[in-house]
Structures are given as C-alpha cells and as structure tokens.
C-alpha cells in the first residue's frame, strides 16, 4: 500500500538544521539550539545530568510535580539540593529566590519550571533571572508548557538551558523537543566528568559531533515524521504570528477563569491570583464534597471533545484542568468546557448559572 507518511526520502542534515534555526528564532535566541529526538523529558534530564555533579549546589524551585522530579535527578547526580517549595496554588517570587541565595551563598545552579500545566501556575522568570544573574549561577528552565502561550526569552532572561516541547501551546508533536544551550552551559558540561557521553542523554555528543562539525552529519537517523510535524508547527506559528498565538492563550485563560467564577456550583480557581495563573491551562478546585475526577468523567460523558482532565495523582480528588492550549485555545473550547462542567455540576444537584458563565467568558475574551 502507499501512504503519504511512508517511503519518504531521508531527512537531510540541512533540513534538520533549518528547523533548529526556526526554533531559535521562535525563542529569539542566539544560543545553540539542539532538537532532541524524543519527548521533552529527554533534554530535561540530559541537561541536568550534563551540568550537575557532586560539586554542584542546586536551588530547585518546586511549584508542581516537575520541580520534584528535577530535584530527584539532581540528587541522583550527587548534587547538594536546596528545595524551595511553594504551595501549588501560587507562584514563587524573586524575593524568595534572593532569600535562598542569601541563606545558601554556594548555590551555583537554579532549576525552575516556567509554567506548570499540571497545577496551572506560572512563575516570573524574567525577575528570577535577574537574581540568578547577580549570583552567577547556571539557570535551567523548563518552558515546555509555556512556549507559545507566553513569552519565552532565554537570552533576555539569562537562561542557560531552556527546554521546550511542541505538544502543548505550540500545537505540535510530542515526539521531538529542543533545548537552547549557552556557552556557559557547554563549558559546565565539558568540565563535568559525569556528563553523559556516547549516550542518548548526551547533549555533549550533539555539541561535538553536530554543532562543532558545522551541522553537516546527523548523529543518527532522525525521527522523520516528528521532525516534519515540528517544521509544520513552527510554520503555522510564523504564519499566524507568535504574538497572536500567545494572545489566544491569554484570552482563553481569562475567559475560562471568568466563566468558572460566574458558573457557581462551588467551583473556584485553583491558583488564587490571576496574575500567577498560567495561560496554557486553567485549574479549578472542585466544590466541597465533590471528587474532581468523577465530575470530569460526568462532563466528558456529555461532551468527550472538551479539553477537560482531572489533576494527576493526589490532585485528582480536588483539581479540574481545562487544557485550553494549542488548537483548544479558542472561544468554542472554553464555552464547551463551561457547558460540560455546568451540566455535571447540575447533575450533582448544585446550582449553576450557565448563561451568566458564558456571558462572562465572552466578555473576558480579549
């Protein structure tokens, strides 16, 4: 049989490099950008294992589950880890980071998640970056959820390792990801005897065999379809305009929050302050006595297409996620989510005002 996804000509090194260049432009960075052939956990782990070791003192900011994972990787590398954990319904502040440096002046590595889609908060990276820069620490950022939904500017913010994925706000594939790497980060890896080498986790292999070689020969056969999908994804963002894409996500977040507040039935925003809420997804706290996962199941039974999910792990009891990212950063997805949640709450015997919720959402769309 024939199929447009089969029997494709091999992806050339030049084509691969051109996609990297487009991703670099998306991030407005002059740093090296490496597209890694796997989901974003690959470069997230590779960047930590490449730059951290027994001599590292790391400030690991925890505003959600991924921050917890990064701390585990850092400890596994032998680093001394200072966890700065804040409640998941809020964001960390630059003042808290500054206080951590004052208490632990030996910190030379900072790990942070920009937007936590799992908890619905977003952190002030630009302000935190200023503090990190003052102390000369290496700055590692997970921008997988935020890219495409809000500004991600590694150079302007002093980020040394910025990892992105395309599967959320960018509306692209999950099977490839990317990391921008500063010269300081490359030097840290080169000096780290524990940095992975001859390994799928090795960023240094890409540096020495791909970048330093003028990007003439790929390390291995690339994930062809995923690379083509990433290229198409970036082309679509370029055509629409990054500012327009981000504005859609901001509008979806504002409309969802306003609509949920007007809907009633005991729903509340999980992230208390709107300025700390991520534009990629809105999290809501289920009404008292209602299990969030059960409410979401009822809502999806009425409309399986709406972008609703319960929180992960223990958060499944209390958290509802409206994943209004990518193709779902639209008024229709917001209306559908509010309508399905309203029906599920009404089935529970709770009073809701769907008309008011839809009106509030429409008025909040910017």
């Amino acid at each position: 049989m024939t199929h447009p996804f089969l029997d494709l000509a091999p992806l050339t090194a030049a084509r691969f490099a051109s996609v990297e260049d487009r991703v670099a432009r998306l991030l407005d960075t002059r740093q090296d950008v490496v597209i890694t052939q796997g989901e974003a956990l690959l470069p997230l782990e590779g960047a930590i294992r490449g730059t951290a070791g027994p001599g590292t003192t790391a400030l690991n900011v925890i505003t959600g589950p991924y921050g917890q994972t990064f701390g585990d990787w850092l400890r596994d590398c032998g680093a001394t880890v200072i966890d700065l954990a804040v409640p998941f319904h809020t964001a960390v502040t630059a003042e808290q980071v500054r206080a951590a440096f004052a208490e632990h002046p030996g910190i030379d590595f900072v790990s942070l998640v920009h937007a936590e889609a799992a908890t619905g908060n977003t952190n002030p990276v630009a302000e935190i970056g200023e503090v990190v820069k003052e102390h000369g620490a290496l700055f590692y950022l997970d921008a997988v959820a935020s890219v495409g939904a809000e500004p991600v500017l590694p150079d302007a913010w002093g980020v040394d390792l910025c990892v992105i994925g395309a599967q959320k706000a960018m509306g692209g594939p999950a099977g490839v990801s990317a990391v921008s790497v500063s010269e300081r980060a490359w030097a840290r890896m080169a000096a780290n005897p524990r940095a992975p080498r001859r390994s799928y986790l090795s960023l240094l292999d890409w540096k020495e065999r791909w970048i330093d070689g003028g990007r003439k020969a790929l390390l291995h056969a690339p994930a062809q379809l995923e690379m083509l999908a990433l290229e198409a994804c970036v082309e679509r963002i370029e055509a629409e305009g990054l500012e327009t894409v981000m504005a859609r996500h901001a509008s979806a977040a504002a409309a969802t929050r306003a609509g949920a507040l007007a809907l009633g039935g005991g729903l509340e925003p999980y992230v208390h302050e709107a300025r700390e809420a991520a534009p990629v997804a809105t999290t809501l706290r289920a009404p008292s006595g209602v299990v969030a996962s059960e409410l979401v199941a009822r809502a999806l039974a009425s409309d399986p297409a709406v972008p609703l999910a319960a929180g992960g792990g223990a958060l499944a009891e209390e958290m509802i996620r409206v994943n209004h990212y990518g193709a779902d950063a639209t008024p229709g997805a917001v209306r559908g989510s509010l309508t399905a949640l309203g029906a599920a709450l009404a089935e529970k015997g709770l009073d809701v005002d769907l008309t008011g919720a839809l009106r509030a959402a429409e008025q909040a769309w910017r």
Side-chain angles (χ1 to χ4, degrees):
M1 64 175 291
T2 60
H3 191 282
F5 292 162
L6 299 176
D7 302 316
L8 297 173
L11 195 72
T12 65
R15 184 82 169 271
F16 193 104
S18 73
V19 181
E20 285 184 335
D21 291 342
R22 295 174 90 155
V23 171
R25 288 195 293 272
L26 182 71
L27 299 175
D28 194 21
T29 182
R30 298 175 65 86
Q31 297 177 4
D32 292 324
V33 169
V34 176
I35 295 179
T36 49
Q37 303 296 282
E39 200 270 339
L41 282 173
L42 172 64
L44 285 168
E45 182 174 359
I48 281 181
R49 295 196 181 277
T51 52
T56 303
T57 300
L59 175 64
N60 180 51
V61 180
I62 302 176
T63 58
Y66 281 101
Q68 294 169 329
T69 298
F70 300 159
D72 292 340
W73 287 340
L74 286 161
R75 290 182 178 90
D76 191 50
C77 291
T80 298
V81 181
I82 296 105
D83 285 327
L84 171 55
V86 302
F88 289 178
H89 64 256
T90 187
V92 73
T93 67
E95 289 72 25
Q96 288 172 309
V97 173
R98 191 183 301 279
F101 272 105
E103 186 175 354
H104 305 279
I107 292 169
D108 61 359
F109 183 101
V110 175
S111 53
L112 175 71
V113 178
H114 187 184
E116 288 267 13
T119 50
N121 54 35
T122 191
N123 292 302
V125 182
E127 297 170 21
I128 292 169
E130 288 296 323
V131 177
V132 175
K133 189 184 304 182
E134 289 171 15
H135 291 84
L138 205 72
F139 195 9
Y140 163 101
L141 184 69
D142 171 355
V144 173
S146 55
V147 65
E150 55 188 306
V152 176
L153 301 167
D155 293 11
W157 296 343
V159 177
D160 296 288
L161 294 155
C162 182
V163 176
I164 68 166
Q167 69 268 31
K168 287 189 166 65
M170 289 177 65
V176 288
S177 45
V179 55
S180 66
V181 187
S182 73
E183 289 300 324
R184 290 200 320 149
W186 284 132
R188 179 81 70 98
M189 286 185 222
N192 182 7
R194 293 196 175 196
R197 305 302 295 269
R198 296 168 294 281
S199 163
Y200 213 57
L201 286 172
S202 177
L203 294 178
L204 273 177
D205 287 354
W206 283 95
K207 164 70 170 167
E208 294 174 0
R209 296 172 55 193
W210 170 245
I211 295 173
D212 292 348
R215 300 193 296 178
K216 302 294 185 185
L218 290 161
L219 274 63
H220 47 71
Q224 173 102 322
L225 295 178
E226 286 79 2
M227 285 296 297
L228 294 175
L230 177 60
E231 182 180 53
C233 165
V234 176
E235 284 179 354
R236 185 170 62 184
I237 291 172
E238 290 170 347
E240 185 176 355
L242 180 58
E243 293 295 328
T244 302
V245 175
M246 292 191 295
R248 278 198 294 107
H249 285 83
S251 291
T256 302
R257 189 180 184 92
L261 285 168
L263 184 61
L267 276 186
E268 297 177 352
Y270 189 86
V271 177
H272 294 180
E273 300 291 335
R275 60 185 170 79
E276 296 178 343
V280 69
T282 296
T283 49
L284 304 169
R285 190 178 297 278
S288 177
V290 176
V291 176
S293 58
E294 295 176 1
L295 189 69
V296 168
R298 284 175 176 262
L300 290 174
S302 67
D303 187 353
V306 294
L308 294 175
L315 294 175
E317 292 285 315
E318 62 180 5
M319 180 189 287
I320 300 159
R321 287 171 49 189
V322 186
N323 295 318
H324 45 66
Y325 54 69
D328 287 320
T330 63
V334 173
R335 286 195 301 268
S337 298
L338 293 170
T339 301
L341 284 173
L345 289 166
E347 283 183 32
K348 288 282 190 181
L350 298 168
D351 292 331
V352 296
D353 179 6
L354 181 58
T355 300
L358 295 178
R359 183 187 308 115
E362 182 180 0
Q363 292 172 346
W365 192 276
R366 301 166 186 167

